Amino acid sequence: MEQIIRMCIPMLSGTKITLTVFFATLAFALPLGFALALGRISKIKTVSKTIEIYSWIMRGTPLMLQLFFFYFVLPYFGILLPGLAAALLAFVLNYAAYFSEIFRAGIQSIPKGQYEAAKAFGFTNGQMLRRIILPQMTKRVLPPVCNETITLVKDTSLVYVLAMNDLLREARTIVQREFTMTPFLLAAIFYLVMTFIVSKIFARLETHYARYSE
């Protein structure tokens, strides 16, 4: 038990990096993804096409390659970012692209009749979006957003390629130093607990939004 506690101390430090990347990505990628979704369905073709190309690039290339780009390639253009900043930029832009497609599909899944009914009742576009579209869209997008969030939990381990001392890197350091696989087991438990918590949170959200009819 003492050995496990001794291993957990440096791993807790790595956990801070992992959680920082996770929560910061969600905090910025979700609203950015929603803004991109609105732009994607915009009638302004230049805006819509630009976001479509952006989404295609970000979703069509590996996240690890994007991490390399922001950390190793940008300095050639005079833009030098610290490891955490480069990681957050890559994660936010990558996940915003995925969330934008999920939100776009959710918005477009609402029957057109509901838009027409809202206008008939004199709702402004803002009121219609807030009171009618968003609640129903939220209900429909929760399952795919949950899946992406669980993927994000696991993808945070990719920051080790930038030599950041996240949870997995700390675990690997201990494994190499003490020749024991226990740190990897502890790291696995952490990720499983995180995904369990995320799943439970989204399950409650789905129950809450279940009151909104199709």
Side-chain angles (χ1 to χ4, degrees):
M1 181 61 69
E2 289 184 8
Q3 184 182 19
I4 293 178
I5 295 175
R6 181 164 49 83
M7 292 177 182
C8 286
I9 294 175
M11 291 179 67
L12 286 174
S13 176
T15 301
K16 292 179 182 179
I17 296 295
T18 298
L19 292 176
T20 297
V21 173
F22 174 77
F23 286 112
T25 299
L26 280 185
F28 290 100
L30 284 171
L32 177 58
F34 183 70
L36 290 172
L38 294 179
R40 182 77 168 77
I41 62 177
S42 170
K43 294 181 180 180
I44 304 176
K45 291 185 178 180
T46 304
V47 174
S48 177
K49 195 65 178 178
T50 300
I51 295 175
E52 180 183 359
I53 294 172
Y54 159 80
S55 179
W56 172 67
I57 293 174
M58 299 308 293
R59 295 191 302 132
T61 56
L63 177 55
M64 184 179 292
L65 184 61
Q66 294 166 20
L67 286 167
F68 285 147
F69 175 82
F70 289 116
Y71 189 68
F72 295 110
V73 178
L74 285 185
Y76 285 98
F77 299 94
I79 304 174
L80 183 62
L81 297 175
L84 182 58
L88 290 178
L89 183 59
F91 270 81
V92 169
L93 293 180
N94 179 278
Y95 273 86
Y98 282 96
F99 287 140
S100 71
E101 288 301 302
I102 293 173
F103 292 148
R104 178 185 65 82
I107 293 172
Q108 293 182 327
S109 70
I110 307 299
K112 292 184 178 179
Q114 298 200 25
Y115 291 90
E116 296 171 356
K119 291 180 179 179
F121 280 103
F123 285 142
T124 64
N125 288 335
Q127 291 173 327
M128 177 174 61
L129 185 66
R130 185 175 65 257
R131 297 182 182 181
I132 298 176
I133 306 305
L134 280 182
Q136 294 184 74
M137 182 210 74
T138 301
K139 174 188 174 182
R140 299 181 184 199
V141 303
L142 278 175
V145 168
C146 177
N147 289 336
E148 286 300 323
T149 305
I150 289 175
T151 300
L152 172 60
V153 172
K154 296 176 287 186
D155 276 352
T156 55
S157 62
L158 292 177
V159 299
Y160 84 93
V161 300
L162 304 186
M164 295 174 61
N165 292 323
D166 70 310
L167 174 64
L168 193 59
R169 186 178 180 86
E170 291 287 359
R172 183 181 178 185
T173 299
I174 298 173
V175 168
Q176 293 175 332
R177 184 178 67 239
E178 302 192 14
F179 303 101
T180 174
M181 294 292 109
T182 302
F184 283 154
L185 176 60
L186 295 174
I189 292 173
F190 168 83
Y191 288 115
L192 287 172
V193 170
M194 278 287 293
T195 55
F196 175 78
I197 294 173
V198 168
S199 298
K200 285 298 182 181
I201 291 174
F202 275 93
R204 290 198 173 191
L205 287 173
E206 287 183 40
T207 300
H208 172 74
Y209 281 94
R211 59 180 175 169
Y212 294 101
S213 61
E214 291 293 337

